[in-house]
Amino acid sequence: AAMLGIGARRPSEPEGRRTSGLRTWTPEDRASVDPTLPAGYASMGLAQLETQADRLRRTVQRRRLHPGACSSGEDAENICAHYERLIEGLERQMEHIRRSQLQRC
């Protein structure tokens, strides 16, 4: 079987339906998901999101302490900025989950 890339459409899928490595979504689904979150984050539970946000925070801290360890300092700053956008998206997703849980009570 051929591997599909991110965003590829399977021949059996209707037009407008796309697949990522983690889940299949339609354009309507996409509107409800934070655009800064990669595919799969929207389906994570609160504990998983918190763990991922903590990992990214530690990574940003480590890269800022040692900017030349993995790449040029400029690249490290761009990577940190990207991770910080992901963290913000994760925090919004966690807040959304917390509000949803409170509304159910």
Side-chain angles (χ1 to χ4, degrees):
M3 296 289 293
L4 293 173
I6 293 176
R9 184 175 62 84
R10 288 193 170 102
S12 61
E13 291 177 329
E15 188 60 38
R17 186 169 277 296
R18 299 285 185 256
T19 186
S20 73
L22 299 175
R23 82 182 202 101
T24 301
W25 50 270
T26 65
E28 296 78 30
D29 295 334
R30 192 71 166 170
S32 67
V33 176
D34 190 314
T36 61
L37 294 179
Y41 280 24
S43 62
M44 285 184 174
L46 186 58
Q48 291 173 304
L49 292 170
E50 289 171 341
T51 298
Q52 186 62 23
D54 286 342
R55 285 179 184 155
L56 287 169
R57 285 185 195 103
R58 286 192 307 271
T59 299
V60 168
Q61 181 180 24
R62 184 178 63 247
R63 283 188 175 269
R64 288 235 163 90
L65 286 172
H66 310 287
C70 298
S71 61
S72 75
E74 186 175 309
D75 287 344
E77 187 53 40
N78 289 334
I79 291 167
C80 287
H82 169 72
Y83 289 163
E84 287 171 333
R85 286 190 301 273
L86 290 176
I87 292 165
E88 289 171 8
L90 289 168
E91 288 170 344
R92 284 191 297 270
Q93 185 71 9
M94 288 185 287
E95 184 59 31
H96 174 75
I97 290 171
R98 288 181 186 116
R99 279 194 309 263
S100 296
Q101 290 174 343
L102 287 174
Q103 289 175 354
R104 286 186 214 150
C105 295

